[in-house]
Amino acid sequence: MKKSALPDPFAQAREAKGYGTVEDQNDPVTMLLRLKDVRKTAKDTKTFQSGAVPGRIVVPSEVSIRDTRQIPFEVDPPMHGEYRALLEDWFKRPEQPTYRESLEEIITELVDEALQMDSLEVMEQFALKLQSRALTLLLNIPYEESEIWIDWGMHVFRSEESALDGSKAAILYDYIDEQIDKAIASLGDDLYSTLLRSEIEGRKMTKEEVKGVMILTFAGGRDTVINAVTNSIAYFAEHPESLARLDAEPEMTTHAVEELVRYFSPLTHMGRVVTEDTQVCEHAVKADSRVSLCWASANRDASTFENPNEVILDRKMNPHVAFGFGIHKCLGATHARQVLRTLLAVLAAKVKKIEILDYKENIEDWEEFQRKVGYDSIRVRFEGK
Amino acid sequence: MAKITFITSDNEEIVAEATSGTVMELAKENNVNGIDGDCGGVCSCATCHVHVAEEDFEKVGAPGEIEADMLELEDNYNERSRLCCQIDMSDAIDGVTLYVAN
Ligand code: FES
């Protein structure tokens, strides 16, 4: 097995019965593993609710460490649509040429730096920096602010000891509170101010609502982007021919990004609360229990994807759900796609070879399923053209 | 060279033409409202959903199985729904009218 490979731990359960079960803080979760079940469930927002107690649809549950509702992700229709409509244009900005140019500058600088070093640890020294600096563009705030977020280290919500660390999450929450107060004192053209100026149902958005959007913006795009960036570098280290091909056929980049995202599936799954007794893949689920939509498993479903465990960079038909599916699909997807497209273009243009020197895998433990989602650390050496 | 007429949900009419690429790409180049093409044309996002005009449906043809699976769950689905990233530009579809579904 290649070092960069992400095996599929769900195959057997997906084919045999279509679901798995995880115990989570006395609130078990039925994980849906087949692409069609995942898609159908994601579309049925009546039976499968997102607007449950804040934190409950996340697995592991965050009910014990937060009560701020993340918006629009923990809201159901019709309110969901109102919030989403407010945010849509802002989160589409990454398609604008000026945004793309700034992103290219950020990534080029990092790659140039990496080329100068004897070796680097990709998570800390590349992906975390990239994610933090790119986020300043999404929020439309000064670049320097990223230094604070880089200083937070890899995990804001997780510590060495615990996957759910309330005291660490408090750092982010306090920070966001402070930023909102600052924006109230003097409105600018950043995301905080834009939200504070927005109206929902004929009234101004509350501080708590703004906070809900901002927490989601920070949290949703952090480890996901970091993993996608790091996994991409590991992949190209073991597939220099792919890098050369992207350089020769840049028009392939869009397809390549979708395929890498399918293969990596940076977010393993996302939960829903069942509102009435029902069935998923012929399995009964009770009202007020939880199911999860396992994007990572769905994206390897052999009944739709040919050779699902291979990265086929120019895969034409690729109906993956790595950014989710339905009304709650990832709001930051345009930004994430732009980050990855730019990363691939810059790597293809400048890098000849990447060598993996040392690594430690990050394996998520979902009881019967052990899933590699990326790395805790990975040291590499870049070689320029 | 094929010419396509797009009609958006607020009844704007846009006529555009091209010799290659997909209909989604053509729509994006011409800023057709309601066609986002988020996934770049790999049949994953369904933000390129159109209804083919009744008289043109035969020319354009029915969706393949994977595309049909995607469409089936879409709002505004009807029996002439297509994801236009899965329709290639070619002479065969010259003169076709497409109604943007979103
Ligand atoms: S552009 Fe994404 S499905 Fe057509």
Side-chain angles (χ1 to χ4, degrees):
Chain A
M1 176 89 56
K2 292 208 170 189
K3 296 169 187 160
S4 65
L6 302 183
D8 168 22
F10 306 105
Q12 208 198 344
R14 183 175 57 238
E15 272 154 43
K17 51 180 189 165
Y19 68 94
T21 320
V22 276
E23 195 43 60
D24 174 25
Q25 304 158 73
N26 299 321
D27 189 2
V29 183
T30 303
M31 294 171 79
L32 305 183
L33 303 177
R34 294 178 181 154
L35 178 66
K36 282 189 188 173
D37 290 328
V38 165
R39 283 211 292 228
K40 238 171 88 189
T41 309
K43 283 282 185 181
D44 184 355
T45 55
K46 264 214 169 84
T47 321
F48 303 97
Q49 179 189 42
S50 294
V53 179
R56 191 171 173 211
I57 62 166
V58 187
V59 192
S61 166
E62 294 172 359
V63 167
S64 62
I65 61 160
R66 71 170 158 98
D67 14 64
T68 297
R69 181 173 296 281
Q70 294 187 3
I71 296 174
F73 141 78
E74 292 177 320
V75 183
D76 289 310
M79 263 317 259
H80 171 271
E82 308 256 334
Y83 286 122
R84 184 95 189 192
L86 274 183
L87 299 167
E88 212 79 62
D89 280 353
W90 185 276
F91 282 86
K92 283 265 177 207
R93 285 162 51 255
E95 293 204 327
Q96 293 168 5
T98 49
Y99 194 112
R100 286 155 69 161
E101 280 158 26
S102 307
L103 202 49
E104 196 177 325
E105 265 173 46
I106 287 172
I107 293 177
T108 304
E109 190 194 325
L110 272 166
V111 171
D112 284 341
E113 217 176 84
L115 286 167
Q116 296 301 315
M117 293 193 236
D118 274 346
S119 76
L120 67 151
E121 197 287 296
V122 180
M123 293 284 281
E124 291 270 356
Q125 291 178 290
F126 191 93
L128 171 64
K129 289 184 182 174
L130 197 169
Q131 189 274 337
S132 301
R133 290 172 186 172
L135 185 61
T136 63
L137 298 177
L138 188 62
L139 305 195
N140 200 26
I141 58 174
Y143 177 84
E144 294 69 45
E145 196 69 13
S146 58
E147 284 159 27
I148 298 176
W149 312 330
I150 294 169
D151 280 346
W152 286 342
M154 223 50 205
H155 300 292
V156 182
F157 317 98
R158 231 169 351 122
S159 59
E160 296 292 314
E161 301 80 46
S162 147
L164 279 179
D165 189 327
S167 63
K168 283 207 97 179
I171 298 176
L172 175 68
Y173 293 2
D174 291 348
Y175 170 82
I176 290 175
D177 280 335
E178 220 175 278
Q179 300 306 308
I180 293 173
D181 287 336
K182 255 203 224 158
I184 291 174
S186 134
L187 288 179
D189 45 16
D190 51 283
L191 178 56
Y192 302 95
S193 306
T194 304
L195 293 173
L196 287 164
R197 269 193 291 260
S198 301
E199 289 204 358
I200 187 111
E201 295 190 309
R203 58 163 177 87
K204 283 259 153 52
M205 251 179 147
T206 65
K207 250 172 99 167
E208 180 71 5
E209 287 172 314
V210 173
K211 187 176 175 183
V213 175
M214 294 310 302
I215 292 176
L216 179 60
T217 308
F218 271 93
R222 192 163 165 100
D223 52 348
T224 47
V225 169
I226 290 172
N227 280 332
V229 166
T230 306
N231 284 333
S232 298
I233 291 188
Y235 170 80
F236 287 119
E238 294 190 312
H239 298 87
E241 74 287 355
S242 296
L243 215 46
R245 198 170 157 208
L246 280 172
D247 193 27
E249 299 167 60
E251 64 284 358
M252 222 176 80
T253 309
T254 311
H255 280 65
V257 165
E258 298 304 314
E259 174 66 350
L260 291 173
V261 177
R262 175 193 73 86
Y263 184 78
F264 302 150
S265 297
L267 182 67
T268 303
H269 61 165
M270 184 49 69
R272 298 284 190 266
V273 172
V274 182
T275 57
E276 58 187 73
D277 291 357
T278 185
Q279 282 201 332
V280 279
C281 55
E282 288 148 34
H283 171 68
V285 286
K286 285 231 165 306
D288 200 39
S289 71
R290 296 193 294 166
V291 298
S292 83
L293 316 175
C294 188
W295 320 117
S297 169
N299 282 340
R300 302 289 179 98
D301 192 329
S303 61
T304 298
F305 300 102
E306 253 174 72
N307 301 323
N309 297 315
E310 268 169 50
V311 174
I312 300 169
L313 280 188
D314 58 356
R315 194 185 282 275
K316 299 267 162 340
M317 284 301 241
N318 194 351
H320 70 80
V321 287
F323 289 113
F325 192 71
I327 60 165
H328 289 287
K329 70 181 177 191
C330 175
L331 187 57
T334 314
H335 174 78
R337 285 181 158 119
Q338 213 54 261
V339 165
L340 292 172
R341 287 171 191 168
T342 311
L343 175 67
L344 264 50
V346 175
L347 289 176
K350 298 194 159 229
V351 178
K352 183 164 139 208
K353 211 171 106 189
I354 303 169
E355 189 187 343
I356 300 177
L357 304 173
D358 191 18
Y359 66 103
K360 187 166 172 276
E361 293 179 340
N362 175 6
I363 313 273
E364 292 179 343
D365 180 5
W366 305 108
E367 296 168 29
E368 57 177 306
F369 313 115
Q370 308 299 309
R371 177 177 190 240
K372 174 179 168 190
V373 65
Y375 301 87
D376 284 334
S377 64
I378 174 166
R379 183 159 286 282
V380 307
R381 180 182 303 129
F382 274 61
E383 195 183 301
K385 285 196 166 159
Chain B
M1 181 74 72
K3 198 183 259 180
I4 304 286
T5 304
F6 297 95
I7 300 182
T8 66
S9 53
D10 41 18
N11 271 320
E12 193 194 346
E13 189 179 306
I14 296 149
V15 183
E17 51 185 19
T19 40
S20 61
T22 68
V23 174
M24 181 277 286
E25 286 162 0
L26 179 72
K28 283 209 69 162
E29 273 156 33
N30 289 277
N31 298 316
V32 174
N33 205 0
I35 303 284
D36 293 341
D38 288 347
C39 73
V42 300
C43 196
S44 141
C45 69
T47 62
C48 62
H49 183 185
V50 294
H51 299 140
V52 181
E54 201 166 353
E55 61 278 15
D56 295 327
F57 192 71
E58 216 163 300
K59 255 188 184 174
V60 177
E65 193 188 328
I66 290 178
E67 185 187 335
D69 282 347
M70 285 286 293
L71 282 164
E72 185 188 279
L73 295 169
E74 280 312 292
D75 302 333
N76 310 324
Y77 168 78
N78 74 20
E79 63 285 0
R80 293 191 309 280
S81 282
R82 289 291 313 262
L83 295 176
C84 68
C85 70
Q86 300 304 314
I87 308 172
D88 285 329
M89 289 304 296
S90 80
D91 289 343
I93 60 162
D94 185 34
V96 157
T97 298
L98 304 172
Y99 295 85
V100 179
N102 295 315

